[in-house]
Amino acid sequence: MKTISLIVPCYNEEPTVNLFYDTTEKVFAQLNQTHDEQYRPDYLFINDGSADNTLDVMRKLHNQHPDEVHYISFSRNFGKESAFAAGLANAHGDFVAVMDVDLQDPPELLIQMVDILDQPNTEYDVVGCVQKSRRQNPIRAFLSASFYKVINKMSKIQIKQNVRDYRLMTRRYVDAVLEMPEYNRFSKGLFSWVGFKTKYLEYEGVPRAAGTTSWSIFQLFDYSLEALVDFSDVPLKLATFIGGLICSLSIIGLIFVIIRAIFFGGSVNGWASIVSIILFLSGVQLFCLGIVGKYISKIYLETKHRPKFIIQESR
Ligand code: UDP
Ligand code: MG
């Protein structure tokens, strides 16, 4: 008998928790019917400071299935990344999966994932999922494609486009992820950073079972920016490069001005160009200061050693 821990972050998911449980139970019944090895699900729901009755639903589900269903409830909304961190730290299964509660990460895929990982001589330690066709508006699709291009170019980690957070991991892979204590957590980056071999499964995207997504386009943009700063120092190099370039150009300009003054005399014309150059340069300086500031703020948050989440209740 092997245990599969299922880490399921929930934020205002009152209508979906039971739906998720019922669907996943059926998948495990099918898994155990078709395999000699028996697998036991170990549900670990994380209530990420929901404002609705998600916690009540979890409590009831735990009371009905005290051995199988566990939950952790945060004292406020800490974000999905913190929910992952809490889940990974408290999941004790032989295999660990992270998945959305809204059934956009189809539990049926678990069967294929187990088939890949639970082989005696498998080379894989993690199975990830990639959405084949994702129905989203063109602006979102464009922004998301650009994000993957930029982060793969600018950092040493490689992230597959349209990869979901949904994945099944072996014990040793989870232990490796747990070795990373950082406060700023971009899990797709962390998962890629630890290495090991990943097998990707492709599947058709499905709409949410119920409820609405909690991500606005601005939140996604902010999230991308954080990810970039977490895993790349290219923006800092870019700032240095721009500074160097402008320095060289101004030296050439200076030589030109001196030579002109010696041979042709000075001129009083050109105040407009001087003002625009000054404005441009102050802009560049502020931009670079902003980049440096972003990294300093990350260092600041890391050095505080604050907990990534606070647990108010867990069963
Ligand atoms: N979620 C969370 N904390 C948050 C936002 C979302 O735990 O602050 C959970 C949410 O309940 C869901 C998963 O993260 O199980 C993915 O969220 P959502 O479905 O809104 O995102 P999408 O699938 O649209 O990327
Ligand atoms: Mg979703």
Side-chain angles (χ1 to χ4, degrees):
M1 177 80 106
K2 289 187 177 161
T3 307
I4 301 180
S5 295
L6 304 172
I7 299 171
V8 194
C10 304
Y11 178 54
N12 296 339
E13 300 281 4
E14 195 182 330
T16 37
V17 174
N18 281 313
L19 207 61
F20 173 85
Y21 177 81
D22 294 337
T23 315
T24 313
E25 278 299 283
K26 282 186 203 128
V27 171
F28 270 86
Q30 196 191 339
L31 180 68
N32 288 327
Q33 259 168 27
T34 48
H35 290 67
D36 293 335
E37 177 74 69
Q38 294 298 289
Y39 299 94
R40 190 183 76 89
D42 181 19
Y43 296 88
L44 185 52
F45 291 101
I46 320 285
N47 174 33
D48 185 14
S50 301
D52 61 3
N53 291 323
T54 305
L55 181 57
D56 282 337
V57 178
M58 289 180 187
R59 282 191 190 122
K60 273 192 202 119
L61 206 57
H62 167 74
N63 289 336
Q64 285 161 10
H65 315 275
D67 294 329
E68 218 180 35
V69 176
H70 299 273
Y71 65 85
I72 290 174
S73 183
F74 288 171
S75 59
R76 63 169 171 87
N77 178 255
F78 280 88
K80 191 178 172 185
E81 298 291 349
S82 294
F84 279 163
L88 290 174
N90 290 286
H92 306 295
D94 302 291
F95 296 98
V96 179
V98 290
M99 53 206 299
D100 284 9
V101 73
D102 56 19
L103 297 176
Q104 274 184 316
D105 299 336
E108 302 80 54
L109 283 182
L110 280 172
I111 300 179
Q112 283 177 52
M113 292 167 140
V114 168
D115 283 339
I116 292 166
L117 285 195
D118 200 11
Q119 297 290 340
N121 294 317
T122 178
E123 50 181 328
Y124 297 111
D125 274 275
V126 46
V127 184
C129 291
V130 179
Q131 250 176 342
K132 246 194 288 180
S133 57
R134 197 166 168 196
R135 249 186 282 136
Q136 54 180 2
N137 74 44
I139 300 177
R140 262 187 191 233
F142 170 75
L143 289 178
S144 130
S146 316
F147 165 69
Y148 287 107
K149 269 196 205 120
V150 169
I151 197 157
N152 287 341
K153 276 243 164 63
M154 281 200 178
S155 70
K156 294 209 172 73
I157 54 165
Q158 292 299 312
I159 302 173
K160 222 174 150 65
Q161 191 177 339
N162 282 340
V163 67
R164 303 270 314 170
D165 285 323
Y166 186 23
R167 51 181 64 223
L168 184 71
M169 302 165 274
T170 59
R171 188 69 251 166
R172 66 173 177 181
Y173 183 89
V174 174
D175 290 341
V177 175
L178 285 173
E179 299 247 332
M180 287 183 286
E182 56 242 68
Y183 180 79
N184 293 292
R185 299 182 79 81
F186 169 61
S187 61
K188 282 189 183 121
L190 297 177
F191 286 143
S192 163
W193 191 90
V194 293
F196 294 101
K197 271 208 141 177
T198 307
K199 168 90 182 166
Y200 289 103
L201 293 181
E202 291 209 330
Y203 73 100
E204 288 297 332
V206 278
R208 247 175 176 280
T212 49
T213 177
S214 40
W215 292 89
S216 72
I217 208 155
F218 293 107
Q219 281 169 317
L220 284 173
F221 185 72
D222 191 46
Y223 185 65
S224 312
L225 205 66
E226 299 290 318
L228 201 63
V229 174
D230 279 350
F231 280 91
S232 168
D233 57 2
V234 171
L236 283 176
K237 289 183 185 142
L238 204 68
T240 317
F241 174 75
I242 294 174
L245 188 73
I246 290 174
C247 231
S248 325
L249 288 178
S250 64
I251 288 173
I252 296 173
L254 203 65
I255 293 172
F256 169 77
V257 168
I258 291 172
I259 291 177
R260 194 177 64 167
I262 292 174
F263 292 103
F264 305 100
S267 78
V268 283
N269 287 336
W271 63 271
S273 54
I274 287 184
V275 169
S276 9
I277 289 168
I278 291 176
L279 284 180
F280 171 70
L281 289 187
S282 348
V284 171
Q285 281 176 350
L286 276 182
F287 175 71
C288 294
L289 255 181
I291 294 178
V292 175
K294 188 79 205 155
Y295 282 87
I296 293 179
S297 82
K298 288 267 169 185
I299 300 171
Y300 177 60
L301 286 175
E302 289 291 344
T303 51
K304 284 191 188 182
H305 296 294
R306 284 199 180 152
K308 299 175 201 86
F309 48 83
I310 291 180
I311 297 176
Q312 188 172 4
E313 181 182 325
S314 72
R315 291 275 181 292

